[in-house]
Amino acid sequence: MNARRSAIPLSLYFFGLIAALYLPLGVLFLFSFNSNTYLSFPLRDLTLSWYQQLFEADAILAAAGNSLAVAAGSSLAATLLGTMVSILMMRYQFRAKGLLVALAVLPLIVPYVVLGVALLLLFSVLQIDRSLWTVGIAHTVVALPYTLLIIGSRLAGFDPNLEEAAMDLGADYPTTLRRVVLPMIFPAMVSAWLTAFTVSFDEFALALFLAGTRPTFPVYLFSQLRFANRLPVMIALAVLLMIGTLTLVLIAERFRRRGT
C-alpha cells in the first residue's frame, strides 16, 4: 500500500514533466498551420501556405544546406576520433589515461557560449577567418564526447577474448580491429554518427560566433524572429527541424540497442 501511495506522486511528476516538454511543441505544430500571422487562439483557418513559402525561400534552403554540410563533416570527424579514443581508452593502459578522458568529455561541462568565445579568440589569433570550416571544427569538439560515450559503452560490453582468439589464430592487431572489432561496434558507430549529426545540426551558440557570412540553419532561424511577418514561416521551419531531430534521435537509439 505504501509503495502504491509513493508511486502516485512520481507518476504525477512524470506526466507533468512530459506535458511541460511536449505541450509547447504541440502548440508550435498547431500554429504552423494557422493562416493568421498573430499567435493567438482561436485559430482562424488551416493552411499549408507557410510550408510552401518555406520551400520557396532560397535563403532558408541555403542555410539548411550549410547546416547539412557542417553536420555531415563534423559528425564523421567526431565519430572517427571517438572510435580511436574509445579503443585507446578501453584496450590500453598508460599514465595520461585519466587526463585524456577528462579532456575528451570537457566540452560537456564548458558552456557553449564560453567555448564559442574561446574558439573565436583562438581563430582570431591564428588569423583564420570565420567560415563553415570553423563551425565544423567547433562542432567536432562538442560532438566528440557523445561519440566517445556511445562507442566506449559498446566496447565495455565487448568480450576482449574475441580479440585474443583472433590474434592467437595469427591475425595482427590492425587486422583484428578491421575484421573483428569494427564490425562488432559498427551499429554503435552509426548511432554515434547520428547523435553527433543531431548535435551539430541543432547547435546555435557556437555557430553564432563562428559562422561568418554563411549562417547555419539555427542562426538563420534566430535572425528572422525579429520580423513579425516572417514569424509563421519560421514556426513552420522550427516544426520541420523538430521532426527531423526527433527522427534522427529515434534512429540513433535503435542502432544503439542493436549494437548492445
Side-chain angles (χ1 to χ4, degrees), residues 154-226:
R154 179 66 186 100
L155 283 172
F158 182 82
D159 189 358
N161 291 327
L162 296 176
E163 300 174 54
E164 295 178 4
M167 289 186 287
D168 287 341
L169 293 174
D172 54 11
Y173 196 65
T175 303
T176 302
L177 286 177
R178 187 177 69 255
R179 302 290 295 274
V180 178
V181 177
L182 292 181
M184 292 292 292
I185 67 173
F186 182 74
M189 294 175 63
V190 175
S191 176
W193 185 87
L194 290 171
T195 303
F197 185 94
T198 303
V199 170
S200 174
F201 195 86
D202 293 346
E203 200 282 322
F204 168 74
L206 294 173
L208 181 64
F209 283 101
L210 303 174
T213 58
R214 299 177 62 186
T216 59
F217 203 42
V219 173
Y220 180 82
L221 174 62
F222 177 77
S223 67
Q224 297 298 305
L225 291 179
R226 65 180 183 269

Side-chain angles (χ1 to χ4, degrees), residues 97-113:
K97 183 176 181 179
L99 178 62
L100 177 62
V101 174
L103 291 176
V105 300
L106 189 62
L108 289 176
I109 304 172
V110 178
Y112 281 6
V113 173

Side-chain angles (χ1 to χ4, degrees), residues 37-39 50 224-234:
T37 56
Y38 296 99
L39 305 182
W50 307 125
Q224 297 298 305
L225 291 179
R226 65 180 183 269
F227 302 109
N229 60 336
R230 299 286 294 169
L231 187 57
V233 179
M234 294 302 104

Side-chain angles (χ1 to χ4, degrees), residues 5-186:
R5 289 180 178 177
S6 61
I8 293 177
L10 291 177
S11 299
L12 293 176
Y13 173 77
F14 173 76
F15 287 112
L17 181 61
I18 293 297
L21 287 174
Y22 291 102
L23 185 59
L25 299 180
V27 173
L28 192 71
F29 182 78
L30 286 177
F31 277 117
S32 69
F33 298 100
N34 184 21
S35 61
N36 195 353
T37 56
Y38 296 99
L39 305 182
S40 61
F41 287 105
L43 302 181
R44 188 167 64 180
D45 292 310
L46 298 181
T47 180
L48 293 174
S49 62
W50 307 125
Y51 289 95
Q52 182 180 357
Q53 294 181 32
L54 175 63
F55 288 105
E56 293 175 352
D58 294 336
I60 295 177
L61 297 179
N66 293 338
S67 282
L68 287 173
V70 170
S74 63
S75 57
L76 178 61
T79 301
L80 294 177
L81 290 174
T83 301
M84 291 187 289
V85 175
S86 297
I87 294 174
L88 185 63
M89 290 193 313
M90 303 302 297
R91 293 296 184 263
Y92 293 93
Q93 297 295 332
F94 50 94
R95 289 185 177 180
K97 183 176 181 179
L99 178 62
L100 177 62
V101 174
L103 291 176
V105 300
L106 189 62
L108 289 176
I109 304 172
V110 178
Y112 281 6
V113 173
V114 176
L115 185 60
V117 173
L119 288 174
L120 178 61
L121 294 176
L122 175 63
F123 291 135
S124 298
V125 170
L126 297 177
Q127 296 183 350
I128 298 176
D129 295 332
R130 293 182 299 166
S131 64
L132 295 181
W133 285 101
T134 56
V135 179
I137 293 172
H139 285 184
T140 301
V141 172
V142 298
L144 177 60
Y146 297 94
T147 62
L148 179 62
L149 293 174
I150 293 173
I151 299 173
S153 63
R154 179 66 186 100
L155 283 172
F158 182 82
D159 189 358
N161 291 327
L162 296 176
E163 300 174 54
E164 295 178 4
M167 289 186 287
D168 287 341
L169 293 174
D172 54 11
Y173 196 65
T175 303
T176 302
L177 286 177
R178 187 177 69 255
R179 302 290 295 274
V180 178
V181 177
L182 292 181
M184 292 292 292
I185 67 173
F186 182 74

